[in-house]
Amino acid sequence: MGDKYLLTDEILFDPKPDAVPYNYRISYKLAQLCLIFNMCCGRGGCSIFKLHMISVGLSTKEEMSKLLNFAHDPHLRYTVVRFDPAVNRAIKYALAEKLIIQQKNGTFKLTQKGKDFVKKINKNSDLMIEEKEYLSQLSDSLTEKKIKDLMSAWRYFDA
């Protein structure tokens, strides 16, 4: 009875009558985030804004195309960044499972356990095929500087 469970006051498991779509399942989001870290974040880690942008970019073909164009064109403006609560939940789970850590500068980075998880995902060629293909195209072209510039532009032009 003396066991302590991390996040139990924030996360409740309540059975639902309907199936949860795959893209909202925590197991999918964890795998997606770990792939994003591995394929698009580099050694310095990833900001929460970048994680959200890429995760939402993976949601539809149209979003994929818009984000790729923004990442590769230095003069293109990206219109809206949506913040997906499923990404925030997955970050909490990833931290609790020690797949990622948060660095002193606020960015997140894969741990060795997270890297091992990505290796398992990559070994299975039938798993997350579209995500792997898209993330390899995006790679490191969406830089933190580009995201910071975008956020500055919002403050000055869209406020």
Side-chain angles (χ1 to χ4, degrees):
M1 285 292 178
D3 293 341
K4 291 189 179 188
Y5 296 99
L6 191 60
L7 301 175
T8 54
D9 58 335
E10 292 183 38
I11 300 168
L12 301 174
F13 293 96
D14 187 22
K16 304 287 185 228
D18 297 324
V20 176
Y22 79 93
N23 54 326
Y24 289 110
R25 292 182 188 158
I26 198 67
S27 57
Y28 171 78
K29 280 295 180 191
L30 281 174
Q32 183 189 70
L33 284 180
C34 287
L35 282 174
I36 291 169
F37 281 112
N38 186 64
M39 300 176 80
C40 300
C41 293
R43 295 182 142 188
C46 234
S47 69
I48 196 162
F49 301 109
K50 186 172 182 175
L51 293 171
H52 276 279
M53 287 179 75
I54 297 173
S55 182
V56 169
L58 283 164
S59 63
T60 66
K61 299 273 187 210
E62 181 184 348
E63 290 295 332
M64 287 179 181
S65 179
K66 284 188 340 190
L67 188 59
L68 269 177
N69 290 336
F70 171 72
H72 290 108
D73 185 341
H75 304 293
L76 190 65
R77 281 189 62 199
Y78 196 71
T79 54
V80 176
V81 175
R82 292 186 311 234
F83 293 91
D84 181 358
V87 172
N88 290 340
R89 270 193 311 280
I91 290 170
K92 285 182 181 182
Y93 270 90
L95 286 166
E97 288 294 325
K98 299 187 179 2
L99 296 170
I100 63 173
I101 57 167
Q102 187 169 20
Q103 302 178 108
K104 290 183 191 244
N105 66 359
T107 61
F108 297 92
K109 183 177 171 179
L110 274 178
T111 62
Q112 188 56 52
K113 185 177 179 182
K115 291 174 186 176
D116 294 341
F117 181 52
V118 170
K119 285 179 189 174
K120 289 178 183 178
I121 295 169
N122 284 331
K123 277 185 183 176
N124 188 334
S125 59
D126 295 329
L127 209 64
M128 304 183 83
I129 299 165
E130 285 185 36
E131 292 87 342
K132 291 175 190 174
E133 183 180 312
Y134 174 75
L135 293 172
S136 70
Q137 289 175 31
L138 186 61
S139 186
D140 60 358
S141 57
L142 180 63
T143 64
E144 293 292 345
K145 181 185 180 333
K146 189 158 181 101
I147 294 167
K148 191 179 245 183
D149 291 346
L150 173 68
M151 290 170 46
S152 292
W154 290 338
R155 286 188 195 111
Y156 294 113
F157 301 114
D158 298 329

